[in-house]
Amino acid sequence: KLPVANTTEFSISGAPLTITAKNHTIPYGDLPTHDGVTYSGFVNGEDESVLSSSVNYSYSYSRYEDVGDYTITISGVTATNYDITFVAGTLTVAPKEVGLSWGETALTYNGSEQTPAVTATGIVKRDEIDVTVTGGETSVGTGYTATVTGLTGTKAGNYTLPATKTQEFSIVKASLTVTANNHSITYGDAPANSGVSYTGFVNNEDKSVLSGEISYDCGYSQYDDVGTYTITPGGLTSSNYDITYTPGTLTVNPKEVGIIWEGTSFTYDGTAKEPTATKKSADIVNNDDVGETVTVTISAKEGSSLTGGEAKLVGNYRAKAAL
């Protein structure tokens, strides 16, 4: 006689399986990316190959949102033998590191504090980002250091500076032209000048910032002959200006000599007539020997009446008056 079977119903429930989204970090401006998941709960050496479907990812972050933490939500995986729990991860949007593009590092003196121009590179979405720089210098010199200390703008918090934030620079002298003013004197006068003019001062500066005393070399000595001489200025120095001197012209004009006219009224007698002229010796300088003769030129006649004439002297003198 067979024994009576004693049976019971039973069930096998799904093993708990936790799928956790891996935390992930991206720089500001990047698209969200998947860094995968971790599994906790597989039994008997099984792995994700026993699961159905692929992991779906969704983010509380959209591209170009500000830096911060955002939720990574996962779903989509099923399994016959596992009771799956999905655990969200964290997407961290970190500041984007910018580059620094420095401008000209040999600056020209302009009388005010200067640093090289610098712009941030790698900016995304047309964000308006400015760079704050310290280390400005005013005077001419080398070996100066400018340092980027920060970024400004409504989106500045989404960016960070690189490790290298400094740039060496120099300030070179500004060009200054000193030009001797043209000047005229009379033969026998001592050398003289009419000063100089300046071109190139910056920031409303003037000659008071220069050192030294202006000097003039005109290549002329008192009693040199009439003519033109070159006035060459010099003598000034400056730590902030590169000085170029431009010569002027000293013109030595003939000295006027008074003329004494005689015989300017004649009675016609059929012969040629002309007045005589003598110079005023008191107007002669330097004991010059100019001779006794004064050349008289008749400029016009009307009938028998003398109507004009002039006396001429040569060299460094000229007649002061005409008939």
Side-chain angles (χ1 to χ4, degrees):
K1 189 174 181 179
L2 294 174
V4 177
N6 187 6
T7 62
T8 186
E9 290 186 357
F10 70 95
S11 64
I12 300 175
S13 61
L17 177 67
T18 301
I19 304 177
T20 303
K22 290 182 180 179
N23 296 333
H24 185 48
T25 300
I26 61 172
Y28 166 73
D30 279 12
L31 287 167
T33 56
H34 316 322
D35 201 33
V37 296
T38 60
Y39 300 91
S40 177
F42 282 122
V43 297
N44 199 34
E46 292 181 339
D47 57 24
E48 62 266 29
S49 64
V50 302
L51 305 177
S52 300
S53 302
S54 299
V55 178
N56 295 326
Y57 298 85
S58 64
Y59 301 87
S60 63
Y61 164 81
S62 297
R63 190 178 188 184
Y64 302 120
E65 287 192 78
D66 291 339
V67 299
D69 291 335
Y70 297 84
T71 301
I72 306 172
T73 301
I74 54 175
S75 63
V77 178
T78 61
T80 302
N81 294 321
Y82 289 95
D83 183 14
I84 300 174
T85 299
F86 295 101
V87 178
T90 299
L91 175 69
T92 298
V93 179
K96 176 180 175 63
E97 184 176 292
V98 300
L100 297 175
S101 177
W102 295 91
E104 177 60 55
T105 56
L107 309 178
T108 300
Y109 173 77
N110 66 5
S112 59
E113 185 176 275
Q114 298 185 85
T115 57
V118 58
T119 56
T121 61
I123 304 302
V124 298
K125 206 188 177 187
R126 296 182 179 178
D127 291 343
E128 294 184 0
I129 302 298
D130 293 319
V131 180
T132 301
V133 185
T134 61
E137 297 288 345
T138 302
S139 299
V140 169
T142 59
Y144 296 139
T145 300
T147 302
V148 174
T149 58
L151 302 171
T152 59
T154 57
K155 291 290 186 178
N158 293 318
Y159 297 90
T160 187
L161 294 172
T164 301
K165 309 176 188 66
T166 61
Q167 175 65 53
E168 283 199 359
F169 70 99
S170 61
I171 298 177
V172 300
K173 292 183 176 183
S175 296
L176 178 68
T177 301
V178 180
T179 302
N181 296 329
N182 297 332
H183 184 53
S184 296
I185 62 174
T186 298
Y187 168 73
D189 289 352
N193 61 78
S194 290
V196 295
S197 57
Y198 300 89
T199 303
F201 279 122
V202 297
N203 201 32
N204 295 318
E205 292 182 342
D206 58 27
K207 63 182 180 182
S208 64
V209 301
L210 305 179
S211 300
E213 295 290 337
I214 190 72
S215 62
Y216 302 88
D217 180 5
C218 61
Y220 165 81
S221 298
Q222 189 175 14
Y223 304 118
D224 281 348
D225 290 339
V226 298
T228 57
Y229 297 82
T230 299
I231 306 172
T232 303
L236 298 175
T237 60
S238 173
S239 58
N240 292 322
Y241 288 95
D242 184 14
I243 300 175
T244 298
Y245 294 100
T246 300
T249 300
L250 173 68
T251 301
V252 181
N253 295 313
K255 180 176 176 58
E256 288 189 338
V257 175
I259 299 297
I260 302 172
W261 291 93
E262 295 177 350
T264 59
S265 179
F266 301 93
T267 299
Y268 174 75
D269 62 4
T271 62
K273 306 292 183 182
E274 69 177 27
T276 60
T278 57
K279 60 186 178 298
K280 291 184 177 179
S281 297
D283 292 335
I284 305 302
V285 297
N286 197 35
N287 294 317
D288 288 343
D289 182 4
V290 297
E292 295 298 328
T293 302
V294 177
T295 302
V296 175
T297 300
I298 303 301
S299 61
K301 287 185 178 180
E302 293 182 3
S304 60
S305 175
L306 179 65
T307 59
E310 65 176 354
K312 292 185 178 179
L313 298 172
V314 295
N316 297 316
Y317 297 89
R318 66 184 175 195
K320 181 182 296 186
L323 177 65

